[in-house]
Amino acid sequence: MSEQTLTITDNRTGQTIELPIENDTIPAIGLRQLKVQADDFGMMVYDPGYTNTASCKSRVTFVDGDRGILRYRGYPIEQLAEKSTFLEVAHLLLFGVLPTASKLTDWNARVMAQTQIDRGLKALLKTFDADAHPMGILVSTVGAMSALYPESKQVHDGRNRLQQAVRLLGQLPTAIAFAYRNRLGLPPTDPDGALGYSDNFLHMMGLSGDGEVDPVLARAMDVLFILHADHEQNCSTSALRNIASSDADPYCAVAGAIGALYGPLHGGANEAVLRMLAEIGSTKNIPAFLDRVKNREVRLMGFGHRVYKNYDPRAQIVKKIAYEVFEVTGTNPLIDIAVELEGTALEDDYFVSRRLYPNVDFYSGIIYQAMGFPVEIFPVLFALGRAPGWLAQWMELMSDAEQRIARPRQIYLGEAERPYLSMDERG
Ligand code: ACO
């Protein structure tokens, strides 16, 4: 018997099967051989929330949640955050390699050449009311790009895929800034292709006043985007892969991913953290708030993670950036509440025993607020940073011969067949 197998005995029947083990994984379909009756469907695995199911083989991002490790294409996040730029990381994620100096220049120019948005998109963005949530607007924006660029349906053409990816990376900041300024009743600011990606974004948002964007803030924005750029098979990326598995175009797939990201348990957490810190209001209220968390009345937003059972390495970097940004913007008083909240939680058995640590969203919102972003736009910033990761995962999916349309099974517990009841037979 090969050592690289798993032997399973079905105690209902005494049947024994042997399944191959590859990468510490068994093929779920192999379990279907286990049946009591010959015409049974066969054994499945039940895994709500996919807590222990690998849905793909990927070479993009590695996360070791127990040891607090995150790497893009093998490079540690700490080194990328210190030495790289966001577009360089986007290149790394999409192509698998760090670009040479000349390739990086070409790549930057290629993305920045795509920063103008279509007239139709501008018209659409003007239709939203001032109180429309920016994530709803973003879902619509990216969905509308599917209609504007019908050639994006050629998803099996590698050149076409790259063209759409570059277009989306280029246009997203402009569309977001346009929508933001429109909401405030301000005229749009044209993109400046000569600026860096984050510099140009802050310039278009108008967060630098009339002057140039402070380089410390542009760098902080770039690093925050790097930290968000990918996180393997999380909720939004899985949603994107599900949608794209039907050969839907990338705009529809990314719009779906943005929808998944919007929820407060995922990318909406950065907004929820800020609201939570504002609600706590003062460090003296922390013990009472934590009691409410432990009584399960509320969640400690920005804490806990499906994969990290150790400090999220991104949270450590974000915390450091916060103080660099405050040197320019002045401090955000919520940082004191956040630091004390973190410290108190990390000494409390409720959080220690469940291995709940701050995640990337715990400190990011405090920085965004200090930079002048309104709270409701925080998840949009997450989406902007995550775009290269979604696109890299999409490209990987589209060239993976083992992938098929995503179609999970269910355990049906509903009624067995029964005859239709006429109106007067119903109780
Ligand atoms: N506050 C209080 N208790 C928590 C928290 C939290 N933030 N997170 C988990 N727990 C508790 C749960 O109640 C559960 O306790 P129990 O075993 O006594 O019932 C235990 O810890 C395990 O939690 P699960 O909900 O089973 O963990 P899961 O992996 O399903 O959820 C999630 C992960 C959604 C991130 C969760 O930790 C959470 O809701 N956190 C707050 C929202 C947040 O910050 N989301 C951003 C995540 S990072 C990102 O998406 C980029």
Side-chain angles (χ1 to χ4, degrees):
M1 188 189 300
S2 159
E3 275 182 15
Q4 294 304 314
T5 60
L6 180 74
T7 303
I8 300 173
T9 301
D10 185 343
N11 293 323
R12 299 171 304 175
T13 60
Q15 183 190 0
T16 294
I17 60 168
E18 204 176 309
L19 298 178
I21 299 176
E22 195 185 319
N23 305 309
D24 289 335
T25 311
I26 55 162
I29 196 75
L31 297 173
R32 288 268 287 279
Q33 304 164 60
L34 297 172
K35 300 178 178 191
V36 176
Q37 307 291 337
D39 61 351
D40 280 355
F41 183 76
M43 181 82 73
M44 298 185 294
V45 290
Y46 176 55
D47 189 10
Y50 308 121
T51 54
N52 198 37
T53 297
S55 63
C56 64
K57 294 174 182 167
S58 181
R59 291 182 165 75
V60 182
T61 291
F62 174 77
V63 180
D64 180 335
D66 283 328
R67 293 193 290 156
I69 292 173
L70 168 61
R71 297 182 200 131
Y72 300 157
R73 303 280 190 187
Y75 296 104
I77 191 66
E78 293 82 0
Q79 293 180 23
L80 292 169
E82 188 188 335
K83 299 177 179 160
S84 194
T85 64
F86 178 58
L87 282 189
E88 192 182 344
V89 165
H91 185 288
L92 174 68
L93 289 168
L94 289 167
F95 301 102
V97 290
L98 287 169
T100 60
S102 69
K103 283 225 168 82
L104 181 58
T105 305
D106 292 350
W107 172 244
N108 287 343
R110 189 170 174 186
V111 175
M112 295 310 288
Q114 293 287 333
T115 47
Q116 294 290 346
I117 58 171
D118 194 273
R119 229 163 7 115
L121 211 50
K122 291 180 185 170
L124 171 75
L125 291 170
K126 283 185 181 165
T127 62
F128 291 98
D129 286 342
D131 60 354
H133 194 284
M135 280 298 263
I137 300 177
L138 192 63
V139 170
S140 314
T141 304
V142 178
M145 290 176 78
S146 162
L148 286 169
Y149 306 112
E151 74 276 16
S152 64
K153 291 180 190 0
Q154 308 304 321
V155 293
H156 293 289
D157 172 348
R159 277 172 63 108
N160 191 291
R161 284 202 294 266
L162 184 57
Q163 194 187 344
Q164 308 313 322
V166 173
R167 177 180 275 154
L168 193 61
L169 289 179
Q171 291 198 15
L172 264 181
T174 314
I176 291 167
F178 187 100
Y180 166 72
R181 291 180 64 85
N182 182 62
R183 253 172 126 231
L184 297 178
L186 297 171
T189 305
D190 281 335
D192 182 346
L195 295 176
Y197 192 84
S198 298
D199 216 341
N200 174 54
F201 175 58
L202 294 176
H203 155 75
M204 289 189 294
M205 292 289 289
L207 294 179
S208 54
D210 293 335
E212 288 182 4
V213 174
D214 189 293
V216 172
L217 301 188
R219 177 64 193 157
M221 192 79 256
D222 221 48
V223 176
L224 285 164
F225 286 154
I226 291 172
L227 298 179
H228 286 87
D230 196 47
H231 212 243
E232 50 116 316
Q233 307 314 315
N234 54 83
C235 176
S236 55
T237 303
S238 302
L240 170 129
R241 278 184 175 259
N242 265 258
I243 297 169
S245 76
S246 72
D247 284 354
D249 71 65
Y251 303 112
C252 288
V254 171
I258 295 169
L261 188 75
Y262 188 3
L265 298 188
H266 190 13
N270 54 16
E271 180 180 351
V273 168
L274 242 282
R275 297 194 193 285
M276 173 188 78
L277 293 174
E279 185 194 324
I280 294 172
S282 156
T283 51
K284 72 176 178 358
N285 298 327
I286 288 174
F289 179 78
L290 288 180
D291 283 345
R292 289 180 61 211
V293 174
K294 291 187 274 183
N295 290 335
R296 297 172 190 275
E297 290 167 41
V298 287
R299 285 213 153 191
L300 177 50
M301 300 310 286
F303 252 69
H305 198 277
R306 168 62 56 79
V307 178
Y308 290 120
K309 301 301 170 195
N310 198 325
Y311 216 100
D312 180 337
R314 301 167 300 177
Q316 254 151 343
I317 303 169
V318 177
K319 193 173 173 184
K320 186 168 152 277
I321 300 171
Y323 291 101
E324 290 166 12
V325 166
F326 297 160
E327 292 284 319
V328 177
T329 60
T331 193
N332 182 339
L334 294 180
I335 188 82
D336 296 335
I337 301 176
V339 169
E340 191 162 326
L341 185 57
E342 177 198 339
T344 312
L346 291 182
E347 284 175 0
D348 189 306
D349 186 55
Y350 176 93
F351 300 94
V352 174
S353 63
R354 290 172 177 78
R355 303 179 72 190
L356 301 171
Y357 291 86
N359 58 51
V360 69
D361 290 317
F362 193 67
Y363 285 104
S364 59
I366 297 175
I367 304 179
Y368 297 146
Q369 193 175 52
M371 288 169 85
F373 290 104
V375 178
E376 62 278 11
I377 215 168
F378 295 177
V380 168
L381 302 176
F382 192 145
L384 186 47
R386 182 55 55 87
W390 285 331
L391 293 163
Q393 299 274 348
W394 169 62
M395 289 193 177
E396 185 176 68
L397 169 86
M398 296 319 295
S399 49
D400 182 347
E402 287 183 12
Q403 284 297 327
R404 305 167 68 188
I405 186 166
R407 204 317 185 175
R409 296 282 177 176
Q410 64 169 5
I411 302 170
Y412 178 70
L413 298 177
E415 300 287 348
E417 182 180 355
R418 50 182 174 166
Y420 180 79
L421 291 182
S422 63
M423 215 42 102
D424 52 10
E425 288 174 308
R426 298 175 205 173

